[in-house]
Amino acid sequence: MDQFELLKKGLVLSLEIERLYALIDGIALHALLDPERISRDKIIDVIKLNLDSICN
């Protein structure tokens, strides 16, 4: 995304990478431990929301 200049200006790329890792790790853990609580659609929505927050 950075190579194609899709990210908002001023982001600290290393922090955004860690934030995305934490998000994915957390979602994976919740989906594993309590699969009835978080659906596939909700997982996709949460990831999209995060990506939308850092993209132009």
Side-chain angles (χ1 to χ4, degrees):
M1 294 175 80
D2 188 41
Q3 288 178 333
F4 295 104
E5 299 180 1
L6 298 174
L7 298 175
K8 290 181 180 177
K9 301 291 181 204
L11 293 177
V12 178
L13 192 55
S14 62
L15 290 178
E16 294 302 332
I17 290 168
E18 292 304 320
R19 183 169 81 145
L20 185 57
Y21 278 140
L23 175 68
I24 299 300
D25 286 348
I27 287 174
L29 185 61
H30 285 282
L32 179 67
L33 296 176
D34 194 2
E36 293 179 18
R37 186 181 149 270
I38 187 162
S39 67
R40 179 183 181 276
D41 289 338
K42 188 180 276 189
I43 290 169
I44 291 169
D45 288 345
V46 169
I47 293 170
K48 282 182 180 179
L49 181 65
N50 181 74
L51 294 176
D52 286 346
S53 76
I54 64 172
C55 292
N56 292 323

